[in-house]
Amino acid sequence: MRNDARPLAVFDLDGTLADTAHRQHHLEGRSRDWARFFAAAVDDPPLAEGVRLALSSAKECEVVYLTGRPERCRRDTVAWLARQGLPEGRLHMRRDDDRRPARRTKLEILQRLGRDRTVRMLVDDDELVCDAAELAGFTVVRARWTPASPALKDAQEREGRT
C-alpha cells in the first residue's frame, strides 16, 4: 500500500449525489425505457447532503466516483459533476454490456481500488451494495437522504442497469 497517497472517498451518483426522482417514471411499468432514463440524467438536481459530504471529504481524501451507469453515459456524467462544482476525480462506470447486480460490480471495483490505496469510505444509497462493502471490510456511509425507489432498486439488483 502506498503511504504517499491520500485515502479515497468513493461516492455513488444516483440517489447519493444526483436526485433521480424526475426520471424514475421511465423505469415504471412493463416496458422500461433505459435510453430515456439515462438521457434524462443530465437534468438531475444535486442532492445537497451528498454534495456537502463530497466537498468536505475532498479536504482530506481523493474523491472517486463509482456508478452503475453504463460507460456510454460518461461524457454527460463528467459534465454533470463539473456543473455541480463537485471535486474532480476518477469516474468508474459499468461496461455497457455488464448486467451483473450493482453489489457485485461495485464491490469488484472497490476491492481493486483498495489493493493499493486506503479506502476511507464508500457513500452509496443501495443497501445491498452497502451490505456487501461492509462485509468485505469497508467503511460505509449509507446515503439515506432520499426516499428509496422500488423501480431503481430493481434496476440495480435484478437487471444490472444502474
Side-chain angles (χ1 to χ4, degrees):
M1 189 155 318
R2 292 182 357 208
N3 293 330
D4 60 331
R6 295 187 304 159
L8 302 176
V10 182
F11 283 82
D12 170 49
L13 296 179
D14 295 337
T16 300
L17 296 173
D19 186 349
T20 63
H22 72 102
R23 56 187 168 111
Q24 295 292 328
H25 66 277
H26 295 298
L27 301 183
E28 296 166 356
R30 299 184 89 167
S31 60
R32 297 176 181 200
D33 190 337
W34 291 103
R36 285 193 173 144
F37 176 77
F38 288 121
V42 298
D43 297 321
D44 287 354
L47 292 167
E49 192 165 343
V51 170
R52 273 193 303 275
L53 185 55
L55 291 171
S56 66
S57 296
K59 294 174 184 170
E60 295 183 11
C61 298
E62 177 184 333
V63 173
V64 174
Y65 302 100
L66 174 58
T67 181
R69 290 180 187 181
E71 185 64 42
R72 68 181 176 275
C73 299
R74 179 172 291 277
R75 184 172 24 201
D76 287 344
T77 301
V78 169
W80 184 90
L81 290 165
R83 278 195 315 276
Q84 309 316 314
L86 284 156
E88 287 188 25
R90 289 176 289 159
L91 172 61
H92 297 272
M93 303 183 85
R94 175 190 296 274
R95 287 188 332 265
D96 287 336
D97 64 345
D98 188 346
R99 298 288 186 268
R100 293 175 298 151
R103 64 187 156 80
R104 289 188 49 214
T105 60
K106 287 185 173 183
L107 184 60
E108 184 178 284
I109 293 168
L110 196 60
Q111 289 173 322
R112 191 171 5 149
L113 291 171
R115 279 190 207 124
D116 61 3
R117 295 287 292 277
T118 298
V119 176
R120 178 163 296 166
M121 67 179 160
L122 166 69
V123 185
D124 204 302
D125 69 315
D126 184 326
E127 293 293 333
L128 294 174
V129 169
C130 292
D131 291 346
E134 283 179 339
L135 280 171
F138 293 98
T139 299
V140 171
V141 175
R142 293 174 188 258
R144 292 180 173 152
W145 36 85
T146 58
S149 160
L152 187 58
K153 183 176 182 175
D154 187 56
Q156 290 169 323
E157 180 60 18
R158 291 194 322 125
E159 294 188 33
R161 292 287 192 144
T162 183

